[in-house]
Short mmCIF file of all heavy atoms in Angstrom, two decimals:
data_model
loop_
_atom_site.label_atom_id
_atom_site.label_comp_id
_atom_site.label_asym_id
_atom_site.label_seq_id
_atom_site.Cartn_x
_atom_site.Cartn_y
_atom_site.Cartn_z
N PRO A 1 15.68 -11.20 -6.83
CA PRO A 1 16.81 -11.32 -5.89
C PRO A 1 16.34 -11.63 -4.46
O PRO A 1 17.03 -11.35 -3.50
CB PRO A 1 17.47 -9.95 -5.97
CG PRO A 1 16.36 -9.02 -6.29
CD PRO A 1 15.43 -9.81 -7.18
N ILE A 2 15.16 -12.21 -4.35
CA ILE A 2 14.57 -12.56 -3.06
C ILE A 2 14.27 -14.06 -3.10
O ILE A 2 13.33 -14.48 -3.80
CB ILE A 2 13.29 -11.75 -2.79
CG1 ILE A 2 13.57 -10.25 -2.90
CG2 ILE A 2 12.70 -12.10 -1.42
CD1 ILE A 2 12.32 -9.38 -2.87
N PRO A 3 15.04 -14.88 -2.41
CA PRO A 3 14.83 -16.33 -2.47
C PRO A 3 13.38 -16.76 -2.22
O PRO A 3 12.87 -17.65 -2.91
CB PRO A 3 15.78 -16.88 -1.41
CG PRO A 3 16.89 -15.86 -1.36
CD PRO A 3 16.20 -14.54 -1.57
N ALA A 4 12.70 -16.15 -1.27
CA ALA A 4 11.31 -16.54 -0.98
C ALA A 4 10.41 -16.29 -2.17
O ALA A 4 9.50 -17.09 -2.45
CB ALA A 4 10.79 -15.79 0.25
N LEU A 5 10.65 -15.21 -2.91
CA LEU A 5 9.84 -14.95 -4.10
C LEU A 5 10.16 -15.94 -5.21
O LEU A 5 9.27 -16.32 -5.99
CB LEU A 5 10.02 -13.51 -4.60
CG LEU A 5 9.29 -12.43 -3.82
CD1 LEU A 5 9.50 -11.07 -4.47
CD2 LEU A 5 7.80 -12.72 -3.70
N ASN A 6 11.40 -16.36 -5.32
CA ASN A 6 11.75 -17.38 -6.31
C ASN A 6 11.03 -18.69 -6.01
O ASN A 6 10.51 -19.34 -6.92
CB ASN A 6 13.27 -17.59 -6.37
CG ASN A 6 13.97 -16.40 -6.96
OD1 ASN A 6 13.46 -15.76 -7.86
ND2 ASN A 6 15.14 -16.10 -6.44
N LEU A 7 10.98 -19.06 -4.74
CA LEU A 7 10.26 -20.27 -4.36
C LEU A 7 8.77 -20.12 -4.63
O LEU A 7 8.11 -21.05 -5.11
CB LEU A 7 10.51 -20.59 -2.88
CG LEU A 7 11.93 -21.01 -2.52
CD1 LEU A 7 12.10 -21.07 -1.00
CD2 LEU A 7 12.27 -22.35 -3.16
N LEU A 8 8.23 -18.93 -4.34
CA LEU A 8 6.81 -18.67 -4.59
C LEU A 8 6.52 -18.74 -6.09
O LEU A 8 5.49 -19.28 -6.50
CB LEU A 8 6.40 -17.32 -4.01
CG LEU A 8 4.93 -16.98 -4.05
CD1 LEU A 8 4.09 -18.00 -3.28
CD2 LEU A 8 4.69 -15.57 -3.50
N LYS A 9 7.42 -18.24 -6.90
CA LYS A 9 7.26 -18.29 -8.36
C LYS A 9 7.22 -19.74 -8.84
O LYS A 9 6.38 -20.11 -9.67
CB LYS A 9 8.39 -17.51 -9.04
CG LYS A 9 8.35 -17.57 -10.55
CD LYS A 9 7.22 -16.74 -11.11
CE LYS A 9 7.36 -16.62 -12.62
NZ LYS A 9 6.03 -16.64 -13.26
N GLU A 10 8.10 -20.58 -8.30
CA GLU A 10 8.09 -22.01 -8.66
C GLU A 10 6.75 -22.63 -8.28
O GLU A 10 6.18 -23.41 -9.05
CB GLU A 10 9.21 -22.75 -7.93
CG GLU A 10 10.58 -22.51 -8.48
CD GLU A 10 11.65 -23.23 -7.66
OE1 GLU A 10 11.33 -24.21 -6.93
OE2 GLU A 10 12.82 -22.81 -7.74
N PHE A 11 6.25 -22.29 -7.09
CA PHE A 11 4.95 -22.82 -6.66
C PHE A 11 3.86 -22.33 -7.61
O PHE A 11 3.05 -23.12 -8.09
CB PHE A 11 4.63 -22.42 -5.22
CG PHE A 11 3.26 -22.86 -4.80
CD1 PHE A 11 3.04 -24.17 -4.41
CD2 PHE A 11 2.20 -21.97 -4.84
CE1 PHE A 11 1.76 -24.60 -4.06
CE2 PHE A 11 0.92 -22.39 -4.50
CZ PHE A 11 0.70 -23.70 -4.11
N GLU A 12 3.81 -21.03 -7.87
CA GLU A 12 2.78 -20.46 -8.73
C GLU A 12 2.79 -21.11 -10.11
O GLU A 12 1.74 -21.40 -10.67
CB GLU A 12 2.99 -18.94 -8.86
CG GLU A 12 1.91 -18.26 -9.70
CD GLU A 12 2.14 -16.78 -9.84
OE1 GLU A 12 3.12 -16.38 -10.53
OE2 GLU A 12 1.35 -16.00 -9.28
N ASP A 13 3.98 -21.34 -10.65
CA ASP A 13 4.09 -21.96 -11.97
C ASP A 13 3.62 -23.42 -11.97
O ASP A 13 3.30 -23.97 -13.02
CB ASP A 13 5.53 -21.89 -12.48
CG ASP A 13 5.94 -20.48 -12.88
OD1 ASP A 13 5.06 -19.59 -12.99
OD2 ASP A 13 7.16 -20.26 -13.07
N GLY A 14 3.58 -24.04 -10.79
CA GLY A 14 3.20 -25.44 -10.69
C GLY A 14 1.72 -25.69 -10.41
O GLY A 14 1.29 -26.85 -10.37
N VAL A 15 0.94 -24.63 -10.20
CA VAL A 15 -0.49 -24.80 -9.96
C VAL A 15 -1.27 -24.21 -11.12
O VAL A 15 -0.76 -23.38 -11.86
CB VAL A 15 -0.94 -24.17 -8.61
CG1 VAL A 15 -0.30 -24.89 -7.44
CG2 VAL A 15 -0.65 -22.68 -8.56
N GLU A 16 -2.50 -24.65 -11.26
CA GLU A 16 -3.29 -24.25 -12.42
C GLU A 16 -4.29 -23.14 -12.14
O GLU A 16 -4.94 -22.65 -13.06
CB GLU A 16 -4.03 -25.47 -12.98
CG GLU A 16 -3.06 -26.51 -13.52
CD GLU A 16 -3.77 -27.71 -14.13
OE1 GLU A 16 -4.98 -27.60 -14.42
OE2 GLU A 16 -3.12 -28.73 -14.30
N ASP A 17 -4.43 -22.75 -10.89
CA ASP A 17 -5.44 -21.74 -10.56
C ASP A 17 -4.92 -20.89 -9.41
O ASP A 17 -3.82 -21.12 -8.91
CB ASP A 17 -6.75 -22.43 -10.17
CG ASP A 17 -7.99 -21.60 -10.51
OD1 ASP A 17 -7.88 -20.35 -10.55
OD2 ASP A 17 -9.05 -22.19 -10.72
N TYR A 18 -5.72 -19.93 -8.98
CA TYR A 18 -5.32 -19.04 -7.88
C TYR A 18 -5.10 -19.81 -6.59
O TYR A 18 -5.88 -20.68 -6.24
CB TYR A 18 -6.37 -17.96 -7.62
CG TYR A 18 -6.41 -16.88 -8.67
CD1 TYR A 18 -7.48 -16.77 -9.54
CD2 TYR A 18 -5.38 -15.96 -8.77
CE1 TYR A 18 -7.53 -15.77 -10.49
CE2 TYR A 18 -5.41 -14.96 -9.72
CZ TYR A 18 -6.48 -14.86 -10.58
OH TYR A 18 -6.52 -13.87 -11.52
N PHE A 19 -4.03 -19.45 -5.86
CA PHE A 19 -3.80 -20.02 -4.53
C PHE A 19 -4.11 -18.99 -3.46
O PHE A 19 -4.22 -19.32 -2.29
CB PHE A 19 -2.37 -20.54 -4.38
CG PHE A 19 -1.29 -19.53 -4.65
CD1 PHE A 19 -0.80 -18.74 -3.62
CD2 PHE A 19 -0.76 -19.39 -5.92
CE1 PHE A 19 0.20 -17.82 -3.86
CE2 PHE A 19 0.25 -18.47 -6.16
CZ PHE A 19 0.73 -17.69 -5.13
N ALA A 20 -4.27 -17.75 -3.84
CA ALA A 20 -4.74 -16.65 -2.99
C ALA A 20 -5.60 -15.78 -3.90
O ALA A 20 -5.24 -15.58 -5.07
CB ALA A 20 -3.57 -15.86 -2.41
N PRO A 21 -6.72 -15.28 -3.43
CA PRO A 21 -7.64 -14.54 -4.30
C PRO A 21 -6.98 -13.38 -5.04
O PRO A 21 -6.42 -12.48 -4.42
CB PRO A 21 -8.71 -14.02 -3.34
CG PRO A 21 -8.64 -14.93 -2.17
CD PRO A 21 -7.20 -15.33 -2.06
N GLY A 22 -7.02 -13.42 -6.37
CA GLY A 22 -6.51 -12.33 -7.20
C GLY A 22 -5.01 -12.17 -7.22
O GLY A 22 -4.50 -11.27 -7.88
N PHE A 23 -4.26 -13.00 -6.53
CA PHE A 23 -2.81 -12.85 -6.40
C PHE A 23 -2.10 -13.44 -7.61
O PHE A 23 -2.33 -14.58 -7.98
CB PHE A 23 -2.32 -13.54 -5.14
CG PHE A 23 -0.85 -13.36 -4.89
CD1 PHE A 23 -0.38 -12.27 -4.18
CD2 PHE A 23 0.08 -14.28 -5.39
CE1 PHE A 23 0.98 -12.10 -3.95
CE2 PHE A 23 1.43 -14.11 -5.16
CZ PHE A 23 1.88 -13.02 -4.45
N GLU A 24 -1.22 -12.62 -8.21
CA GLU A 24 -0.37 -13.07 -9.31
C GLU A 24 0.95 -12.32 -9.24
O GLU A 24 0.97 -11.09 -9.15
CB GLU A 24 -1.01 -12.75 -10.67
CG GLU A 24 -2.22 -13.57 -11.01
CD GLU A 24 -2.72 -13.25 -12.40
OE1 GLU A 24 -3.52 -12.30 -12.52
OE2 GLU A 24 -2.29 -13.93 -13.35
N LEU A 25 2.03 -13.07 -9.30
CA LEU A 25 3.35 -12.42 -9.32
C LEU A 25 3.54 -11.65 -10.61
O LEU A 25 3.04 -12.06 -11.67
CB LEU A 25 4.45 -13.47 -9.16
CG LEU A 25 4.53 -14.11 -7.78
CD1 LEU A 25 5.45 -15.33 -7.80
CD2 LEU A 25 5.01 -13.12 -6.75
N ILE A 26 4.23 -10.53 -10.52
CA ILE A 26 4.60 -9.73 -11.69
C ILE A 26 6.12 -9.54 -11.65
O ILE A 26 6.75 -9.84 -10.64
CB ILE A 26 3.88 -8.36 -11.70
CG1 ILE A 26 4.21 -7.54 -10.45
CG2 ILE A 26 2.37 -8.55 -11.85
CD1 ILE A 26 3.66 -6.11 -10.46
N ALA A 27 6.68 -9.03 -12.72
CA ALA A 27 8.13 -8.78 -12.75
C ALA A 27 8.48 -7.79 -11.65
O ALA A 27 7.91 -6.70 -11.56
CB ALA A 27 8.53 -8.24 -14.11
N LEU A 28 9.41 -8.17 -10.79
CA LEU A 28 9.79 -7.37 -9.63
C LEU A 28 10.28 -5.98 -10.04
O LEU A 28 11.22 -5.84 -10.83
CB LEU A 28 10.88 -8.07 -8.83
CG LEU A 28 11.38 -7.32 -7.60
CD1 LEU A 28 10.31 -7.35 -6.51
CD2 LEU A 28 12.67 -7.91 -7.09
N GLY A 29 9.62 -4.96 -9.53
CA GLY A 29 10.06 -3.58 -9.70
C GLY A 29 9.88 -2.98 -11.07
O GLY A 29 10.31 -1.86 -11.32
N GLU A 30 9.21 -3.67 -11.99
CA GLU A 30 9.03 -3.13 -13.34
C GLU A 30 7.71 -2.37 -13.49
O GLU A 30 7.30 -2.04 -14.60
CB GLU A 30 9.11 -4.25 -14.37
CG GLU A 30 10.50 -4.83 -14.49
CD GLU A 30 10.63 -5.85 -15.59
OE1 GLU A 30 9.71 -5.96 -16.43
OE2 GLU A 30 11.65 -6.54 -15.61
N ASP A 31 7.08 -2.08 -12.40
CA ASP A 31 5.79 -1.41 -12.38
C ASP A 31 5.84 -0.42 -11.23
O ASP A 31 6.64 -0.58 -10.31
CB ASP A 31 4.72 -2.49 -12.13
CG ASP A 31 3.29 -1.98 -12.19
OD1 ASP A 31 3.07 -0.76 -12.09
OD2 ASP A 31 2.39 -2.81 -12.32
N ASP A 32 5.03 0.60 -11.27
CA ASP A 32 5.00 1.53 -10.13
C ASP A 32 3.72 1.36 -9.31
O ASP A 32 3.45 2.15 -8.41
CB ASP A 32 5.17 2.98 -10.59
CG ASP A 32 4.07 3.47 -11.52
OD1 ASP A 32 2.99 2.84 -11.57
OD2 ASP A 32 4.30 4.47 -12.21
N GLY A 33 2.93 0.35 -9.64
CA GLY A 33 1.71 0.08 -8.88
C GLY A 33 0.69 1.19 -8.98
O GLY A 33 -0.23 1.25 -8.18
N GLY A 34 0.83 2.07 -9.96
CA GLY A 34 -0.09 3.18 -10.11
C GLY A 34 0.28 4.40 -9.28
O GLY A 34 -0.46 5.37 -9.22
N TYR A 35 1.45 4.35 -8.65
CA TYR A 35 1.91 5.45 -7.80
C TYR A 35 3.34 5.83 -8.20
O TYR A 35 4.30 5.50 -7.50
CB TYR A 35 1.85 5.04 -6.32
CG TYR A 35 0.44 4.81 -5.84
CD1 TYR A 35 -0.18 3.58 -6.00
CD2 TYR A 35 -0.28 5.84 -5.25
CE1 TYR A 35 -1.48 3.37 -5.57
CE2 TYR A 35 -1.58 5.64 -4.82
CZ TYR A 35 -2.17 4.41 -4.99
OH TYR A 35 -3.47 4.22 -4.56
N PRO A 36 3.51 6.54 -9.32
CA PRO A 36 4.86 6.86 -9.80
C PRO A 36 5.69 7.66 -8.80
O PRO A 36 6.91 7.54 -8.77
CB PRO A 36 4.62 7.63 -11.10
CG PRO A 36 3.19 8.05 -11.05
CD PRO A 36 2.47 7.09 -10.17
N GLN A 37 5.04 8.44 -7.95
CA GLN A 37 5.76 9.25 -6.98
C GLN A 37 6.45 8.39 -5.91
O GLN A 37 7.32 8.88 -5.19
CB GLN A 37 4.87 10.32 -6.36
CG GLN A 37 3.73 9.79 -5.51
CD GLN A 37 2.45 9.47 -6.27
OE1 GLN A 37 2.46 8.79 -7.29
NE2 GLN A 37 1.31 9.94 -5.75
N LEU A 38 6.10 7.12 -5.83
CA LEU A 38 6.70 6.22 -4.84
C LEU A 38 7.77 5.31 -5.44
O LEU A 38 8.42 4.56 -4.72
CB LEU A 38 5.62 5.33 -4.20
CG LEU A 38 4.42 6.03 -3.57
CD1 LEU A 38 3.47 5.00 -2.99
CD2 LEU A 38 4.86 7.03 -2.52
N SER A 39 7.97 5.37 -6.74
CA SER A 39 8.76 4.36 -7.45
C SER A 39 10.20 4.21 -6.97
O SER A 39 10.76 3.13 -7.11
CB SER A 39 8.73 4.61 -8.95
OG SER A 39 9.33 5.85 -9.26
N ASP A 40 10.79 5.24 -6.37
CA ASP A 40 12.17 5.08 -5.89
C ASP A 40 12.27 4.32 -4.58
O ASP A 40 13.35 3.87 -4.20
CB ASP A 40 12.88 6.44 -5.78
CG ASP A 40 12.27 7.35 -4.73
OD1 ASP A 40 11.05 7.25 -4.49
OD2 ASP A 40 13.02 8.15 -4.15
N ARG A 41 11.14 4.11 -3.89
CA ARG A 41 11.17 3.43 -2.58
C ARG A 41 10.29 2.18 -2.50
O ARG A 41 10.09 1.64 -1.41
CB ARG A 41 10.75 4.41 -1.48
CG ARG A 41 11.66 5.60 -1.29
CD ARG A 41 12.92 5.29 -0.50
NE ARG A 41 12.72 4.77 0.81
CZ ARG A 41 12.50 5.48 1.91
NH1 ARG A 41 12.42 6.80 1.85
NH2 ARG A 41 12.34 4.89 3.07
N ILE A 42 9.75 1.74 -3.63
CA ILE A 42 8.94 0.52 -3.62
C ILE A 42 9.41 -0.41 -4.74
O ILE A 42 9.99 0.05 -5.73
CB ILE A 42 7.43 0.80 -3.78
CG1 ILE A 42 7.12 1.44 -5.13
CG2 ILE A 42 6.90 1.62 -2.61
CD1 ILE A 42 5.64 1.55 -5.46
N ARG A 43 9.16 -1.68 -4.54
CA ARG A 43 9.43 -2.68 -5.57
C ARG A 43 8.19 -3.56 -5.70
O ARG A 43 8.05 -4.57 -5.01
CB ARG A 43 10.65 -3.55 -5.25
CG ARG A 43 11.96 -2.81 -5.22
CD ARG A 43 12.30 -2.17 -6.59
NE ARG A 43 13.50 -1.36 -6.51
CZ ARG A 43 13.53 -0.07 -6.26
NH1 ARG A 43 12.42 0.61 -6.04
NH2 ARG A 43 14.68 0.60 -6.24
N PRO A 44 7.24 -3.16 -6.57
CA PRO A 44 6.05 -3.99 -6.77
C PRO A 44 6.46 -5.39 -7.24
O PRO A 44 7.39 -5.55 -8.03
CB PRO A 44 5.28 -3.25 -7.86
CG PRO A 44 5.71 -1.81 -7.68
CD PRO A 44 7.17 -1.92 -7.33
#
């Protein structure tokens, strides 16, 4: 639900390798980033 992330996803899908070191989009908010105590206030 973030237009900039949708555009970034289109870009990511159109390249064959990393455009930033180690950076990969994941499903928005479906992860707690390893910090479950923060999950109500973060959207990985």
Side-chain angles (χ1 to χ4, degrees):
I2 305 171
L5 283 183
N6 290 324
L7 292 171
L8 187 60
K9 177 72 170 144
E10 286 177 21
F11 175 80
E12 182 181 69
D13 289 347
V15 295
E16 295 182 17
D17 210 332
Y18 286 110
F19 56 89
F23 183 88
E24 289 184 273
L25 290 168
I26 60 174
L28 180 72
E30 291 185 13
D31 185 342
D32 61 18
Y35 294 86
Q37 65 273 49
L38 306 180
S39 63
D40 65 329
R41 297 281 302 276
I42 63 171
R43 295 299 174 268

